[in-house]
Amino acid sequence: MSIVNNDFLILFGVLLAVVAFLYSSVGHGGASGYLALMAIFAFPVSVMKPSALLLNLFVSGISFFFYYKKDFFKPRLFYPFAITSVPAAFIGGMIPLENSFYKILLGIVLILAALRLFGFFHSKETESTKINIPLAMGIGFGIGLLSGMLGIGGGVILSPIILLLGWATLKETAAISSLFILVNSIAGLSGYFMGDKTFPTESFYLVPIAVFGGMLGAYYGSGYFSNKVLKYVLATVILLASVKLIV
């Protein structure tokens, strides 16, 4: 059975490319946006989680490549989060969530994603504070566990935390988040498969669309591109999806 009604396939594809474009421009894989779209288009929950993680792998990898080329990646800021987030994401991927609880939890995370796109967490854009490694490891574990459970990479949660604590600049945060999302998505998918789950093969048809949007977004994003109007539109879509999920 097709995961998207044929009447809405073109519209969904266009929106998927836009989501990948916008998220990759700020160093994200876009899972929260993909999940929002799939919620609006009434995808089954069994399809949403693995599909979002799969698309995350490609888009976050592309985004990291472009930001790395621009020399924004700082390994010392990445490792404290990744050391604990990867095993936690693997564990989270094995944890099945009851459908209604999953939708409510995901809806709350999507609200956070929308607030970030609206610019609520962009007050600090210059590094001013030395990273607290034990705190970063604790944050990494919590985000990793939640990421594996929900089918997201965790960048939408990590980025505002790093910026609010003043541990990195905006571009450095984007580079850290993109690799953080990549490794967590791999761990989350691995845990998902360990739980004897089947993978929806239709999800692979979505990959080229997301890759196209992701490449454009990462290219322009790493080169100081910004489009506030489109980000506000995307944030509105995510808020609508979160309301649908929670209500």
Side-chain angles (χ1 to χ4, degrees), residues 114-123 232:
L115 291 177
R116 186 184 189 282
L117 287 169
F118 276 127
F120 280 78
F121 304 115
H122 290 173
S123 58
Y232 292 159

Side-chain angles (χ1 to χ4, degrees), residues 7-53:
D7 294 337
F8 299 100
L9 183 59
I10 295 177
L11 176 60
F12 179 83
V14 171
L15 293 175
L16 179 66
V18 171
V19 168
F21 175 87
L22 292 174
Y23 272 77
S24 64
S25 70
V26 293
H28 287 188
S32 56
Y34 308 143
L35 289 168
L37 277 181
M38 287 186 276
I40 291 174
F41 280 79
F43 278 55
V45 171
S46 60
V47 171
M48 293 171 63
K49 178 176 177 178
S51 297
L53 286 173

Side-chain angles (χ1 to χ4, degrees), residues 5 26 148 181 198 239:
N5 188 295
V26 293
I181 292 166
T198 58
L239 277 178

